[in-house]
Amino acid sequence: MPDVARAALTALEDLKAEDVAVIDLAGKTSIADWMVIASGRSTTQVGAMADKVVRALKDIGAPTPSVEGLPACDWVLIDAGDVIVHLFRPEVRAFYNLEKMWGVDRPSEAR
């Protein structure tokens, strides 16, 4: 796992992100090699998690990522090149169900 993904995971753990999933995309798509998905209990927490992830990436010297969705904070996408981070409120995450699209179970649904 690249340093960018590790930095994002550490930042999410620090802010008590829920249902964190890491998906290895290598060989499945050309958009990225890793995807990190996490939930926050409120738009405030999702926004704080996004800010912390972006700061963590800057702290390790990664290029400034592209960020979408900050005004509403229902779903924030952080594109850090080979690592994409999706941050959701639980209802929005359940609606889009990205884990199912990539063929993995959500952490809370693991068998």
Side-chain angles (χ1 to χ4, degrees):
M1 183 181 316
D3 290 342
V4 170
R6 286 186 226 283
L9 287 171
T10 299
L12 294 172
E13 288 171 5
D14 288 349
L15 288 181
K16 307 291 189 241
E18 298 177 347
D19 292 332
V20 178
V22 179
I23 303 170
D24 182 354
L25 297 176
K28 295 180 182 177
T29 181
S30 61
I31 62 169
D33 291 334
W34 294 90
M35 183 180 294
V36 177
I37 305 172
S39 297
R41 292 178 300 281
S42 66
T43 56
T44 302
Q45 185 182 18
V46 170
M49 291 186 319
D51 289 342
K52 181 127 180 149
V53 168
V54 169
R55 279 195 317 270
L57 299 183
K58 288 180 182 177
D59 288 348
I60 65 164
T64 302
S66 176
V67 181
E68 299 289 332
L70 273 179
C73 291
D74 284 330
W75 175 6
V76 176
L77 173 114
I78 301 168
D79 183 350
D82 287 338
V83 178
I84 297 175
V85 181
H86 294 275
L87 306 173
F88 293 98
R89 283 187 314 103
E91 313 81 67
V92 178
R93 183 175 179 174
F95 179 79
Y96 287 101
N97 202 359
L98 293 181
E99 290 91 345
K100 185 174 183 181
M101 181 188 322
W102 295 103
V104 297
D105 291 329
R106 286 184 58 186
S108 60
E109 298 170 350
R111 292 176 209 142

